[in-house]
Amino acid sequence: MLRFYKKWISLVLAAIFCVGTFAGCSALDTSLPPQETQQKSKQTKSKKKTDPQKAIEQIYASLGKRSGLIEPTPEEIERIGFDMENISQAYVRYVETDFGADDVYIFLPKDGEDEEGTSYRDKVLADLRERKEERMKEFENYDVYNSTSIAANAVIFERGSYVVMLMLEDNDSARRIVERYIPERLNLS
């Protein structure tokens, strides 16, 4: 009889153990949130990361103190060859010619096209190419701090909705900074 009770108690304890172990388990929810929530989440993350001002600050922080550094007003940006009517946002710093070339231009062109059907993005890209040529001419007879080569090796590219020109001795490092603060835009439509 004692042996019967031991087996019975062992079975009851085993059953209690099994029930206790599996009571805390539940099925994992592997469903995805609605598509609308996913897109909002991606947009929020993208908005948090897009910070051209921080990009330009980081680039110049890595360069150290620069003499002749100019952070131009919109009027000064127009004076150096950019039509602000084509631009929604401008983040520009450049160095006066006497102090070499360490220029960064980050523009967000307006959406759409002008009356003639030319996209604002294309107009800003043309202005950047023209600015590059002007800077090369400025240093042609006055090559201070290797500026002729720096101007000639300037890179113009698009990142997200922005167009960028880097005219620095180390464009690769600056480009990595730009890519960190201006994420590539995915077209999911």
Side-chain angles (χ1 to χ4, degrees):
M1 183 83 151
L2 186 59
R3 204 171 4 168
F4 173 73
Y5 283 118
K6 282 184 178 179
K7 284 184 180 183
W8 188 77
I9 290 175
S10 294
L11 280 172
V12 169
L13 287 175
I16 291 172
F17 176 74
C18 287
V19 169
T21 302
F22 294 113
C25 294
S26 63
L28 293 174
D29 181 10
T30 58
S31 64
L32 294 173
Q35 185 72 14
E36 184 177 295
T37 306
Q38 289 178 9
Q39 287 177 345
K40 284 182 183 177
S41 174
K42 287 178 185 176
Q43 289 172 352
T44 304
K45 287 179 185 176
S46 175
K47 286 181 184 177
K48 288 181 183 178
K49 291 182 185 177
T50 303
D51 193 349
Q53 181 63 38
K54 188 71 171 172
I56 208 164
E57 289 170 2
Q58 287 293 310
I59 290 168
Y60 283 96
S62 71
L63 293 175
K65 188 92 170 141
R66 282 296 313 198
S67 297
L69 184 63
I70 297 172
E71 190 170 347
T73 64
E75 294 79 23
E76 291 170 321
I77 292 172
E78 286 216 0
R79 196 167 48 249
I80 62 171
F82 296 96
D83 186 350
M84 292 302 291
E85 294 295 318
N86 302 327
I87 299 169
S88 293
Q89 298 174 17
Y91 305 89
V92 176
R93 289 194 188 163
Y94 63 92
V95 177
E96 293 176 336
T97 305
D98 290 344
F99 298 99
D102 275 330
D103 301 9
V104 176
Y105 305 84
I106 303 173
F107 295 115
L108 179 62
K110 287 183 178 177
D111 288 332
E113 300 174 338
D114 65 7
E115 311 80 45
E116 291 130 23
T118 305
S119 77
Y120 294 114
R121 181 186 62 75
D122 289 343
K123 291 178 111 178
V124 173
L125 285 167
D127 287 346
L128 283 170
R129 286 189 285 276
E130 190 173 316
R131 177 67 175 159
K132 177 181 176 178
E133 292 297 320
E134 288 173 5
R135 290 295 268 172
M136 289 169 51
K137 289 176 186 173
E138 288 176 14
F139 298 116
E140 228 170 31
N141 297 317
Y142 185 65
D143 190 12
V144 59
Y145 304 115
N146 198 28
S147 296
T148 304
S149 175
I150 292 171
N153 292 317
V155 293
I156 299 172
F157 61 97
E158 297 178 55
R159 182 74 182 177
S161 299
Y162 293 83
V163 292
V164 179
M165 181 167 72
L166 302 173
M167 189 178 292
L168 303 159
E169 192 163 3
D170 185 2
N171 289 327
D172 293 334
S173 294
R175 187 172 185 150
R176 283 191 293 275
I177 292 170
V178 168
E179 290 171 352
R180 186 177 330 136
Y181 289 101
I182 303 174
E184 190 59 59
R185 181 180 59 174
L186 296 176
N187 187 1
L188 300 175
S189 30

